[in-house]
Amino acid sequence: MFTRDFADEAAGYQSVLTEIRRDLHQIPEFGIDLPKTRERVLASIHGLGEIHLSELQSSIVLHIKGAQPGPTVLLRADMDALAVTEATGLDFASTNGYMHACGHDLHMAIGIGAAHLVATHKDKLKGDVIIWFQPGEEGHGGADIMLEENLHMITGSKPIAAYGIHVTSSWQAPYTFGGKSGAMMASASDMLVTFKGRGGHGSSPWMAKDPISVMNEAISALQTMVTKRFNAFDPVVVNVGWVRAGDEHTTNVIPETASFGATIRTFSPGNLAKVQQYAGELLDGIAKAFDVEVTYDIGAHPTEVVMNDPAATERVRRVVKETFGEDRWMEWPHPIAGAEDFGSIVREIPGAFIFLGASPDKDGWMTAAPNHSNYATFDEGVLPDGAALLAGLAFEAVEDWHSAQ
Ligand SMILES: [Zn+2]
């Protein structure tokens, strides 16, 4: 068992990985251009393998060649922070207006730890490992840019498996690994709608075409669409996040336009297309009924469903239970409605995305500040096990491939 040996060895990395994580935590950067972050990661993986840098964004691919030829496995760590002002009060809190509130600083430290484990044991590796340090996860399309640049193909053969770990400050018991096969996280996209009527005097709405009341009908009808047109066992979420119409300083004017934006979450590949069709018909129908115009963009900025491959997920369950014990695995009963661009990676490569409980509050983790909160905190004690699992999964996947030949 590679992972067990790696876990013992990674325990010795604790202080180094903590230091790396804290350095990264103090220089959070947003989006796809992360020069300081990239520099810090590069300094920590120097000499471990071949480095491929993108020109389009701050991604890094580390390629570690095994002693013998064989298949390629991809490991992924995301790098970007959120536009959140940190309020944790930690000694190493960020002060630049951005925050690693989703734990991507821990993901980089885990990826760096895994890189050291793989490189140290490459004499036993019968294949190649590529480690992606990926910017732009938080809605900036970073994974898709890396795929478009063919950075998954740098060894010349498509990886047989892809793995990524996400820490959570509240959703899962500390130190447990969790996930499920099949749909694990939602596809997220946007719906942007504008109704255009005819402005007028608020005393005489029949002389105008009021877009606000039509928007109101549409927002209610979308919820009816969700429950009446979609299978409750393959859920869809449509949630309006903003509405805009009129002027707050006046009540006697009917404005010309009314707009709203909603997020759409789906969990099976075909459902977004159905939302596009049904919501489009509904908006057109309501606009026609009230004689106003409507324009919309349904399904803008889509991310893929994170669809975990059954065999890749089974390997995680087995390795976690054998290495860390039965109680360290938490089988998810259902997917979560959050989204992740790891979905683009597992669309191309069979793989699994795994969550790792990292709340520092052993008893109160369920009510701890969640990921993305300005108060979110994470336990660095999980870093060595995370690194051991990622590195171990790469070796196990390669071994499994050879024994199946
Ligand atoms: Zn995240």
Side-chain angles (χ1 to χ4, degrees):
M1 273 291 294
F2 295 103
T3 317
R4 183 168 305 135
D5 298 341
F6 291 170
D8 292 339
E9 195 168 328
Y13 292 2
Q14 179 73 66
S15 58
V16 180
L17 296 184
T18 299
E19 188 187 316
I20 292 169
R21 183 263 165 158
R22 292 187 181 192
D23 284 354
L24 290 164
H25 193 84
Q26 291 174 75
I27 51 164
E29 294 172 295
F30 184 78
I32 62 172
D33 185 27
L34 320 171
K36 290 182 182 162
T37 307
R38 182 194 244 182
E39 201 179 310
R40 183 67 186 87
V41 172
L42 283 172
S44 305
I45 56 174
H46 182 75
L48 298 184
E50 222 173 79
I51 302 277
H52 298 248
L53 298 180
S54 165
E55 310 240 305
L56 300 179
Q57 58 175 358
S58 299
S59 59
I60 303 167
V61 184
L62 171 64
H63 174 194
I64 303 170
K65 292 188 178 93
Q68 293 173 52
T72 302
V73 175
L74 187 158
L75 305 176
R76 180 272 214 158
D78 46 6
M79 304 166 85
D80 56 322
L82 289 154
V84 166
T85 304
E86 180 156 0
T88 59
L90 293 168
D91 307 343
F92 56 91
S94 147
T95 54
N96 70 358
Y98 296 104
M99 177 183 174
H100 272 299
C102 200
H104 298 185
D105 49 343
L106 284 90
H107 302 168
M108 288 182 273
I110 287 171
I112 290 164
H116 281 265
L117 290 166
V118 173
T120 305
H121 298 282
K122 64 184 178 191
D123 56 315
K124 296 194 277 297
L125 178 63
K126 298 178 215 155
D128 295 77
V129 174
I130 57 174
I131 304 182
W132 273 24
F133 293 93
Q134 179 215 305
E137 189 285 317
E138 300 284 0
H140 313 282
D144 288 295
I145 297 172
M146 292 187 77
L147 289 166
E148 279 156 28
E149 290 184 280
N150 266 324
L151 291 173
H152 57 310
M153 298 298 294
I154 57 174
T155 65
S157 67
K158 192 167 170 174
I160 55 158
Y163 287 104
I165 287 183
H166 205 302
V167 294
T168 164
S169 60
S170 68
W171 304 327
Q172 210 171 281
Y175 289 78
T176 60
F177 293 97
K180 67 184 282 293
S181 69
M184 168 92 176
M185 296 181 76
S187 155
S189 60
D190 292 334
M191 178 185 306
L192 304 162
V193 182
T194 298
F195 288 100
K196 183 169 181 247
R198 191 170 65 230
H201 200 291
S203 65
S204 316
W206 61 91
M207 314 267 301
K209 288 180 187 172
D210 173 20
I212 296 181
S213 49
V214 182
M215 176 173 73
N216 189 33
E217 293 289 339
I219 289 173
S220 312
L222 283 170
Q223 299 310 307
T224 310
M225 173 197 81
V226 166
T227 52
K228 305 302 175 186
R229 301 206 75 177
F230 289 93
N231 186 332
F233 298 101
D234 184 7
V236 168
V237 177
V238 176
N239 195 73
V240 175
W242 61 264
V243 297
R244 202 153 294 144
D247 184 290
E248 63 184 295
H249 300 104
T250 183
T251 56
N252 62 359
V253 172
I254 294 172
E256 187 178 28
T257 62
S259 307
F260 70 91
T263 188
I264 303 167
R265 306 288 158 131
T266 59
F267 299 90
S268 62
N271 260 357
L272 178 56
K274 284 190 192 168
V275 173
Q276 288 172 312
Q277 186 197 329
Y278 299 160
E281 289 168 0
L282 185 146
L283 295 167
D284 287 335
I286 289 175
K288 184 162 188 285
F290 291 97
D291 195 24
V292 301
E293 291 168 31
V294 64
T295 52
Y296 50 76
D297 186 356
I298 303 168
H301 323 115
T303 65
E304 302 277 340
V305 177
V306 177
M307 198 61 83
N308 275 355
D309 175 71
T313 311
E314 182 50 31
R315 183 177 297 118
V316 182
R317 278 190 205 102
R318 171 170 61 80
V319 170
V320 167
K321 289 177 182 178
E322 285 175 9
T323 308
F324 303 108
E326 291 276 336
D327 59 342
R328 294 281 297 278
W329 176 254
M330 197 195 91
E331 184 73 23
W332 281 18
H334 54 73
I336 59 170
E340 239 290 342
D341 71 1
F342 196 79
S344 296
I345 298 171
V346 288
R347 180 196 60 209
E348 300 295 327
I349 300 158
F353 200 51
I354 310 145
F355 272 70
L356 169 56
S359 171
D361 189 345
K362 300 274 177 292
D363 303 314
W365 58 271
M366 277 183 235
T367 53
N371 287 40
H372 289 206
S373 159
N374 51 341
Y375 290 97
T377 55
F378 299 89
D379 184 348
E380 291 146 341
V382 304
L383 297 173
D385 286 355
L389 181 63
L390 270 193
L393 286 169
F395 277 72
E396 307 286 349
V398 166
E399 286 295 310
D400 290 349
W401 183 88
H402 283 286
S403 27
Q405 296 309 300

